[in-house]
Amino acid sequence: DPAAYTTSASAADIEDLRRVLGYTHWNLYGASYGTRLGLEILRQFPATVRSAVFDSVLPPTIRYDEASAASRAHSFDVMFRDCEADPDCSRAYPDLRARWQRTVQDAASRPLRVKARARDDAPLREVVFSGESLAASIPLGDTDGLADVPRLLWGIVHGDADALSRIGSAVLRPSTYAWGVRYSVWCSAE
């Protein structure tokens, strides 16, 4: 029953797991939705948590799908502002904000077609990016790769085959994302 897949029910399941494993206390680590789940565990079972570390907190007050476009736009804005303020970045990627915005607008009216592979040994396939899907393809959530984003955008703006292949390949890779759980949790309006 999809209605049974809620953050509250998952927290209770995790508490059951803690008891079955015989732990009196444990340490929680969560990222993204795991932070929301961790907060719910802390709310329901505070006495069983020794410590909690949350990265990229998704609080219960935020509806991710409603807020994600604004969050992405804010992340781009911060990155562009930081690049403009950094002499090396602004010299390497002059007027990056305007060039990127033009590229996204162009893709909205003329979708960008990219040839890419899901893996090195996979067949070459075409990936089509509209303006929104192009912006969404940029790995702003990959904290290890954030420093490379200006170079990636510059490559996309200038039609660099490696940059285009990188975003195309990312789209083609099989997802391990749990869409069923996401929709159940999001639709339960928890």
Side-chain angles (χ1 to χ4, degrees), residues 140-179:
L140 296 173
D142 173 15
T143 55
D144 293 335
L146 281 177
D148 190 44
V149 170
R151 181 168 30 128
L152 176 63
L153 297 182
W154 189 257
I156 294 167
V157 163
H158 290 89
D160 176 71
D162 287 338
L164 294 169
S165 177
R166 180 174 163 193
I167 62 169
S169 294
V171 168
L172 291 174
R173 282 189 207 102
S175 174
T176 57
Y177 198 83
W179 287 104

Side-chain angles (χ1 to χ4, degrees), residues 48-128:
T48 66
V49 178
R50 179 183 304 118
S51 68
V53 176
F54 298 143
D55 181 8
S56 305
V57 175
L58 183 59
T61 56
I62 299 294
R63 297 273 181 236
Y64 175 78
D65 291 327
E66 295 169 10
S68 63
S71 294
R72 184 173 47 250
H74 174 73
S75 295
F76 272 117
D77 187 53
V78 169
M79 186 269 309
F80 288 130
R81 204 176 37 221
D82 288 352
C83 185
E84 291 161 1
D86 180 88
D88 292 335
C89 188
S90 63
R91 189 173 31 260
Y93 313 111
D95 204 23
L96 181 59
R97 180 190 305 259
R99 292 172 192 248
W100 173 250
Q101 289 170 342
R102 226 177 354 264
T103 300
V104 171
Q105 288 169 352
D106 289 348
S109 58
R110 280 174 301 154
L112 181 61
R113 297 178 181 286
V114 173
K115 298 283 188 185
R117 301 174 195 278
R119 306 176 314 275
D120 289 341
D121 62 342
L124 203 56
R125 293 180 42 199
E126 183 176 70
V127 180
V128 179

